[in-house]
Amino acid sequence: MVLESQPERASINLRAYLDRIPDEKIRQYQPGWSDEQVIEWCGDFRDDGALMTACCERDVDVHEFRRVLEQAIAYRNRVRPMLVGTAS
């Protein structure tokens, strides 16, 4: 996953949030979903369309959420074989 050179709190919190989503749920995500479907699947967006995160200077919208989620999925797909192979 590529981070900005000086990530700020909202960026860090979003990645931490995504790290806590179980792999089973992450694997349900479909890139072709509408923004509304992503918001419903996530379940943690406010009525104003921003992700509910703690201690952030700015809001995270569904477009940023989707972009970072897809980076997180790509990372998990790369490392999953190594992690599953050592989990026995």
Side-chain angles (χ1 to χ4, degrees):
M1 201 178 313
V2 178
L3 292 175
E4 304 87 45
S5 59
Q6 284 291 321
E8 37 74 42
R9 188 179 310 253
S11 179
I12 293 167
N13 286 350
L14 174 56
R15 284 162 176 82
Y17 172 88
L18 294 171
D19 282 346
R20 290 188 303 270
I21 296 176
D23 207 38
E24 299 77 35
K25 182 168 181 162
I26 288 285
R27 290 175 139 187
Q28 295 170 356
Y29 172 77
Q30 298 296 313
W33 282 347
S34 68
D35 290 346
E36 293 77 19
Q37 288 172 302
V38 172
I39 289 169
E40 183 179 327
W41 169 82
C42 171
D44 286 332
F45 278 82
R46 302 185 313 235
D47 290 340
D48 67 358
L51 182 67
M52 288 188 275
T53 55
C55 304
C56 289
E57 303 87 18
R58 64 176 180 79
D59 289 334
V60 173
D61 66 15
V62 69
H63 303 289
E64 180 180 4
F65 178 85
R66 184 191 295 267
R67 178 180 56 78
V68 177
L69 171 62
E70 290 177 5
Q71 291 173 353
I73 289 170
Y75 172 77
R76 285 187 187 199
N77 288 343
R78 277 194 317 273
V79 301
R80 187 177 295 111
M82 292 178 275
L83 298 176
V84 171
T86 61
S88 39

